[in-house]
Structure formats: structure tokens, C-alpha cells
Amino acid sequence: PPASSSEDESDSDRESNEPPADVRAARKAVERLRRMGCRVAVFSGGPVHRSEPLGLLVATRSDGARDVLDDDALRAKVGDVVPWRPGCDGDDAKRAFVGAVPLVARCARFFREAGWALEALVWSGCAVWSTDQLLAEVSRGSWALAPAQWSDASAAADSRGLWGDVLA
């Protein structure tokens, strides 16, 4: 077999150091969100699914903002984003969606064009438990449960104090 040159080896090393395609797409989507004026907070999550960054978009109706498609119609246009409504308080002034970061950015475009204010949380990686494992840990007191609030999903939240604020 022919001997490989050091140039060939450096090319293959560079390719192996490339982030996965989903991470590259998420980075581009974060930049699109920022160009739209969206406040974005980026977090490093747990050890699972690190190559599949997720985002949470929170859109807040500004004065004079127009209506946006309903959840089903929006999902049909942008893809598999999941509506999120903490507290189910019927607050139509806020809408939120969770999904892959590029889809969240596509969703954000509809709200930005209608004049809504945008915030996004983006995280790479998560922690995963089986149902039985999580229930056992909750029953031992290893976890505290608290209802979600809109402020928990703010890109302006101080990440160092977030858990204390959530449990207060």
C-alpha cells in the first residue's frame, strides 16, 4: 500500500474534529436567531444527546403585534416543534415551542415578522432517566418538584441562581 503523507493525516484529523452536522446547523440557527433580535442563552446540558441541540423559543406579544398562525398550522409550516404552555393560564400574550434549534429558528421568523419579542434558550445535551428510576429518586427526596413559570424560560435569567429562584 502507498505510504500516507503527513498532509493526508492532517486532513483526516481535521475532519474528525468537525462537530456533528446537527451541531453545525444549530450554531447557524443561533446566529439567525440573534440577527432577528432574539435574546439567546446557550447552555451545556447533560451527557446524553450532545450532538442534537434543542431550543426553547418564547415569543411575547408586543404592543401592536399581529396574530401568528395557531400551533397546528405553525407546526405544519416549520416542522416538529412542540408547543409549551407552563401553568396553562390561558395567557395568549406568550407562546413557546421546543424543538431542534433550526426548527425553532424557523418558527421564530413567523413571530418576528408579526412584531413579537423573542427569547430563546438553547442547550446541547441532557440527562435521561427511566420512569422507575426518576420516580424512585423523587420518592427518596433527591428531586424537588415545582410548577413551571414563564420566568424560568427567560434568556435573561441568571443561570447561577436559576435553580434557587425556581424552588423559592
Side-chain angles (χ1 to χ4, degrees):
S4 64
S5 71
S6 61
E7 187 176 313
D8 291 340
E9 289 173 17
S10 66
D11 286 345
S12 66
D13 287 346
R14 202 169 340 163
E15 288 173 9
S16 66
N17 288 331
E18 276 289 313
D22 286 347
V23 172
R24 291 191 312 270
R27 286 177 180 168
K28 289 178 183 177
V30 165
E31 290 310 312
R32 282 195 309 276
L33 285 165
R34 287 183 171 141
R35 283 193 305 270
M36 279 188 255
C38 182
R39 185 170 28 184
V40 181
V42 179
F43 299 94
S44 176
V48 181
H49 302 297
R50 293 193 64 78
S51 65
E52 302 168 16
L54 292 174
L56 168 66
L57 173 71
V58 177
T60 303
R61 183 186 289 270
S62 306
D63 289 337
R66 297 180 311 279
D67 287 339
V68 178
L69 300 169
D70 67 31
D71 293 349
D72 291 334
L74 194 59
R75 289 183 73 199
K77 292 224 179 249
V78 302
D80 193 18
V81 292
V82 179
W84 179 64
R85 299 269 197 291
C88 298
D89 57 8
D91 183 0
D92 290 334
K94 287 190 183 275
R95 291 177 62 190
F97 298 87
V98 176
V101 179
L103 297 179
V104 166
R106 288 174 64 190
C107 187
R109 190 185 74 226
F110 287 93
F111 287 96
R112 171 56 63 211
E113 289 172 356
W116 293 53
L118 302 173
E119 292 184 273
L121 303 180
V122 174
W123 61 96
S124 176
C126 62
V128 178
W129 289 261
S130 70
T131 302
D132 291 341
Q133 179 186 11
L134 183 57
L135 290 175
E137 290 184 19
V138 168
S139 69
R140 283 194 304 269
S142 299
W143 290 90
L145 302 177
Q149 304 295 321
W150 281 111
S151 59
D152 301 338
S154 174
D158 175 11
S159 64
R160 293 175 303 252
L162 181 61
W163 297 121
D165 293 345
V166 167
L167 297 174

